[in-house]
């Protein structure tokens, strides 16, 4: 296991380097620049700005300087739009916010989704099955960009129970609607995967053998059926966690939480290459890490898997 983890970490280094280089090339190949606007700057001012941020250097030299700063100093450089802030400061401000409600949403989606899937599978073709499947379908057809304004309309404008936006240090009234909006569609997918996987496992030969031996239903479920049934769910959870942490753009915009998703959108609109690159590298690193965690969980759940 240690060799496998070390090998994957060694693979992660060139993967991140390739991600950085290709992202850098693609962003600098786009028309315009970070200082382009409806009112063009005087050529002298534009030349001074490009010289200050080394944008007048050849592209290979810019790439080498950027990779050196990220790898050696973990420095994503200054922001092109926020003159008094660095990319590290912007990420450090927004990422803890998104991580907080993203992690809570992930836990809610996994717990509720697995519970719905197990309920539907263990009570196939019953009222509980239809109810769990109906809840999953209803959550699936309401993505977060639809769920968010509905929640604001009901709980803020009509009932006045919850604040319609803001963060306030992560107080629970400000967490409820972002968590619901972010977790519902993923919860539905987890429930569907769990239901189909558990149904397949419950009809396996080793489950029939356990029943023939007279083992209690609870023992069969938690000791023999649950682990293999979780394998498809585990494979789905790795990229899902990264998406919930870094892809919460709609939640940040609707609820003005100040998370990293809002910073990513603003950087794209303002052509702030440095912030876009920093968040892109963060997403890539998280994807690699959580895919590694998923592989380790796979080996722990099913020892037959060859690493």
């Amino acid at each position: 296991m240690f060799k496998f983890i070390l090998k994957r970490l060694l693979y992660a280094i060139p993967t991140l380097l390739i991600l950085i280089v290709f992202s850098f090339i693609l962003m600098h190949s786009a028309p315009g620049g970070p200082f382009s606007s409806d009112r063009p700057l005087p050529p002298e001012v534009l030349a001074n700005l490009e010289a200050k941020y080394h944008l007048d250097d050849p592209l290979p030299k810019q790439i080498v300087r950027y990779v050196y700063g990220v790898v050696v100093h973990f420095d994503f450089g200054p922001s092109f739009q926020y003159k008094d802030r660095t990319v590290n400061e912007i990420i450090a401000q927004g990422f803890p916010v998104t991580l907080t409600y993203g992690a809570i949403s992930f836990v809610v989606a996994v717990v509720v989704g697995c519970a719905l899937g197990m309920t539907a599978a263990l009570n196939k073709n019953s009222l509980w099955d239809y109810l769990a499947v109906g809840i999953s379908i209803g959550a699936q057809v309401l993505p977060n960009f639809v769920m968010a304004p509905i929640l604001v309309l009901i709980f803020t404008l009509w009932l006045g129970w919850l604040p319609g936006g803001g963060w306030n240090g992560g107080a629970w009234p400000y967490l409820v609607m972002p968590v619901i909006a972010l977790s519902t569609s993923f919860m539905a997918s987890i429930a569907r995967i769990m239901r189909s996987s558990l149904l397949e496992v419950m009809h396996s030969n080793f489950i029939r053998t356990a029943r023939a031996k007279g083992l209690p239903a609870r023992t069969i479920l938690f000791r023999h059926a649950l682990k293999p049934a979780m394998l498809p769910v585990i494979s789905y959870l790795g990229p899902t966690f990264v998406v919930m942490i870094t892809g919460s753009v709609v939640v940040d915009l609707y609820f003005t939480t100040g998370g990293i998703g809002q910073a990513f959108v603003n950087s794209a609109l303002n052509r702030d290459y440095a912030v876009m690159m920093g968040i892109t590298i963060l997403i890539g690193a998280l994807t690699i890490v959580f895919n590694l965690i998923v592989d380790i969980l796979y080996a722990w759940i099913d020892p037959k898997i060859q690493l």
Side-chain angles (χ1 to χ4, degrees):
M1 178 65 73
F2 176 76
K3 290 183 178 180
F4 169 75
I5 297 174
L6 181 61
K7 186 178 181 181
R8 288 294 298 270
L9 291 176
L10 292 176
Y11 283 158
I13 296 175
T15 302
L16 280 176
L17 290 176
I18 293 173
L19 172 67
I20 294 172
V21 171
F22 272 88
S23 300
F24 197 95
I25 293 174
L26 289 174
M27 289 185 185
H28 283 72
S29 300
F35 306 111
S36 301
S37 61
D38 295 334
R39 298 178 60 183
L41 295 174
E44 298 81 5
V45 176
L46 182 61
N48 290 334
L49 287 173
E50 290 180 345
K52 177 182 178 181
Y53 293 103
H54 304 286
L55 297 178
D56 55 347
D57 292 338
L59 187 60
K61 187 176 180 179
Q62 295 184 47
I63 294 174
V64 172
R65 180 184 294 108
Y66 186 80
V67 171
Y68 177 81
V70 172
V71 174
V72 178
H73 301 290
F74 199 68
D75 181 14
F76 296 112
S79 169
F80 294 143
Q81 297 297 327
Y82 302 97
K83 303 299 187 295
D84 56 341
R85 303 184 66 189
T86 64
V87 178
N88 293 54
E89 292 173 349
I90 295 174
I91 293 177
Q93 178 183 354
F95 184 64
V97 175
T98 307
L99 181 63
T100 299
Y101 72 76
I104 296 174
S105 303
F106 179 78
V107 173
V108 171
V110 172
V111 173
V112 178
C114 289
L116 287 176
M118 292 172 61
T119 301
L122 297 176
N123 301 276
K124 184 181 178 182
N125 296 329
S126 68
L127 177 61
W128 290 107
D129 184 16
Y130 298 144
L131 180 62
V133 172
I135 294 174
S136 300
I137 294 175
Q140 190 75 55
V141 299
L142 290 174
N144 53 13
F145 61 85
V146 177
M147 182 68 74
I150 292 176
L151 292 173
V152 173
L153 181 65
I154 295 175
F155 293 105
T156 302
L157 298 180
W158 290 354
L159 300 176
W161 290 354
L162 298 171
W167 183 241
N168 195 25
W172 74 265
Y174 295 84
L175 280 171
V176 174
M177 290 196 294
V179 168
I180 295 175
L182 187 59
S183 63
T184 47
S185 58
F186 296 103
M187 175 202 70
S189 299
I190 293 172
R192 290 169 48 243
I193 296 172
M194 188 68 193
R195 179 184 183 274
S196 59
S197 178
L198 187 57
L199 280 175
E200 182 179 355
V201 171
M202 294 301 288
H203 289 86
S204 301
N205 291 330
F206 69 94
I207 297 297
R208 294 193 186 98
T209 303
R211 286 172 175 164
K213 290 182 177 181
L215 293 178
R218 182 182 297 271
T219 302
I220 293 175
L221 175 63
F222 289 102
R223 184 174 296 180
H224 299 287
L226 195 56
K227 274 191 175 183
M230 285 294 296
L231 288 176
V233 178
I234 292 295
S235 64
Y236 176 77
L237 294 183
T240 297
F241 185 78
V242 178
V243 171
M244 295 180 75
I245 294 300
T246 59
S248 54
V249 175
V250 174
V251 175
D252 283 335
L253 292 179
Y254 269 107
F255 299 109
T256 59
T257 59
I260 200 173
Q262 190 168 1
F264 189 71
V265 172
N266 292 337
S267 65
L269 295 176
N270 297 328
R271 298 178 181 178
D272 197 342
Y273 296 152
V275 176
M276 293 175 65
M277 283 293 302
I279 298 177
T280 301
I281 295 170
L282 176 64
I283 295 173
L286 288 175
T287 302
I288 292 172
V289 169
F290 282 98
N291 282 335
L292 174 61
I293 294 174
V294 166
D295 290 339
I296 295 173
L297 290 176
Y298 250 85
W300 175 70
I301 293 175
D302 189 359
K304 295 183 295 182
I305 293 178
Q306 297 294 323
L307 296 178

